Amino acid sequence: MASHKAIEMPTVYWNSSIDWKPSPVVALATSVDESQVAAAREDGSLEIWLVSPGSVGWHCQLTINGNPNSRVSSLVWCPSSSKGMPSGRLFSSSIDGTISEWDLFDLKQKTVLDTLGVSIWQMVLAPGTGPSQLRHHDHQNVANGHGNHKLCNGNNRVHSESEDDDDDDDDSVELHEQLNSENHCVAIGCDDGWVRLYSIPGSDKLTYHKSLPRVSGRVLSVTWSLDAKRIYSGSSDGYIRCWDAELSQEMYRMTVGLGGLGSRSELCVWSLLALRCGTLVSADSSGSVQFWDSHHGTLLQAHSLHKGDVNALAASPSHNRVFSAGSDGQVILYKLSSDAVGPNGDGSSSEVIRKWVYVGYVRAHTHDIRALTVAVPISRADPLPDEKAKRVRHKEKPVEFSYQKWAHLGVPMLISAGDDTKLFAYSAKEFTKFSPHDICPAPQRVLVQLAHNTVFNRSSLLLVQASYWVDILCVCTKTGGVATTDLVARVKSKASNRIISSAISASGVLFAYSDHVKPSLFELKRSKDGGRVWSVSKRQLPRNLRYAHSIAFSFDSSRLILAAHDRRIYVVDVETSELVHSFTPCRGENEVDLPPPEPPIVRMFTSFDGQWLAAINCFGDIYVFNLEIQRQHWFISRLDGASVTAGGFFPRNSNVLVITTSSNQVYAFDVDAKQLGEWSVRNTHILPRRFLEFPGEVIGLSFPPASSSSVIIYSARAMCLIDFRMPVDHKDDIALPNGLDSKFVELADLRPKRKFNDLNLEIKRIGRRNFEFFPFRDPVLFVGHLSQISILVLDKPWLEVVKNLDASPVHRHIYGT
């Protein structure tokens, strides 16, 4: 193996002209089993993130495109009676007054409560299992006033240590058995001053229960006491009201302005948080965070450390740490401290006074922070019910997920998000000791596909998918490592429907997209003299085709393959516009004639010889189909329980399928033989540590056109060159702090004017090892081969992205100005 020649290093061409405008995050919520975080964006889309212990393994498992005209105001996970839904059911309230359920299996948004005619500011689930109270109280994580119900499997305990080694700072949570009930109760804070209570049955619609008496001002925040006997509401009139949940009577009210920076009439209470110790925490528009005795309605303490509205609150599982965040971009930590008042003269014991003290702050966001939540990381995605994850035999024990000192399984993590479109993760117990982790360096990355060596004078074409149109761009390379793009065609979706998938054929002649209504196919033409005149014509498709979550073409461009919403895969003959075949993905041979029980397909890869189709569902299972004999060839269950992040076939060896996973593993499968390839059997679980700690989630692969063994794997922050003929090189295999060692950080900090040539020189200088890394200075959207020895890298300086955001960044005063 050592006799093989070194990897041939490609020349890099850069382009930063792609339009990219991610949408702000407006709400966060943690799943029932605390393994997932839902993030709602202002454009109506929803993301489901798998929580990871540290900088490696964060994975956006699902993206659902909802109603772009309905802004989400809050998210709630509700326990499900179905054993197949350990994460629970996900609901959202909206400013337009509707409530929706997000179907994580069919990837769609369903309205379960038609508009109330007024805005809903917050929705919160009762801590019990329904309108009635729990017989056994369950300790919970609470975020943004939402109860995150921890379902215990008997051995699952959350534990942590104190920053200051206090005995009372243990995050271990004793969990009690919950009652099984089909109905759950939610309280809804409305713009008209009402708090309305609804029950969530097993059906598709919410059931009205009752309303609390109307108050002056808007109800902006709601939370329950942990015994579900009281409801607290915060309003735009500066009052917090405590209600008897059963009698629907006001018990007392608290005036927020008395302990803050002022008591103006329009002081808004944006967030409420009920703690296990009986303390109620409020956050308001004056920048104050106040701690109240919830039994008597008296003010205990007030902190006015924020320089603007405080939008969100969250607590650690132990409820002795509280986090606040707001329009100043800060996340502030308060901790419950115990002080002993000196011993009495008669020798009796001293009195212990407990108070909330300011610990510190972290400012990672450049814009307003809109939401906080707390989650507990896991190392792998949960398997579906009655499913056993595929375990690969290996000689050495796999590397455990513990890449940073604060990153351990079962240790709570705080997640923040806001107007800068970013999500950051922090250690909940060592908040001020470690820098936060940027979960998604390239949020809402635009979908890009490259067709090189097309029929149009062997030029390279890019397909760029925007929200409501697709662009076809022609790529031109220039000296100095620079690439330019010229707009060839722009096709807008009909009736401004959001586009959810697209693809371009290898020849460049055909491209297709699908919105939430149906797929569409187009043909690209160029003037006969090879000039700059291009035209687009629409091609016919079979009638009644469902809209598609994923689209692909066969390599010879003769077949269009659609992974439809009905969870079937349709193969269309492009020339005749006829439906050739439809596949029903299944796990076993006896399930072919049954209705499709499998999750939707979200990724597809075709082999270059036209024989194989690999389809990936949203949970990471792999289905391999033989397009020649039109039948399913193989089913591969999730690899070590992880989700698939990218994949593809080698151009010169169509029997080899390469797959990367959210656990930063890479697999090479012998598809024809239905087994792991020889390389994977030997090396998959002894990969270099620098690859296991790959900076950022892997988002794509690129194969040299004539390759049978080499591939480029890339994330938004770096790329890695792998040759499966060469041995795995562990030389100088050191830990990468947050994914990059000092040499790579130094390279990533090159001046912009030197970026192009210096990276090419660095590739030639150090590119002699297998699994060699090359970092990117700016977030990268796409990497693809233009030829055997050249690649195109599409990046975008983050400062340019920030400048184009609708929201203004936080103003920070510079001394002397």
Side-chain angles (χ1 to χ4, degrees), residues 138-155:
D138 179 22
H139 299 325
Q140 304 154 48
N141 298 352
V142 183
N144 284 350
H146 299 173
N148 295 329
H149 302 264
K150 174 76 175 179
L151 298 185
C152 182
N153 60 9
N155 296 320

Side-chain angles (χ1 to χ4, degrees), residues 296-335:
H296 304 95
T298 56
L299 179 65
L300 300 176
Q301 284 175 268
H303 294 276
S304 299
L305 300 171
H306 284 280
K307 299 176 178 62
D309 293 47
V310 186
N311 299 321
L313 295 169
S316 65
S318 61
H319 281 204
N320 55 14
R321 284 187 180 87
V322 169
F323 303 90
S324 63
S327 60
D328 57 0
Q330 293 186 101
V331 180
I332 295 179
L333 168 63
Y334 313 89
K335 183 179 178 182

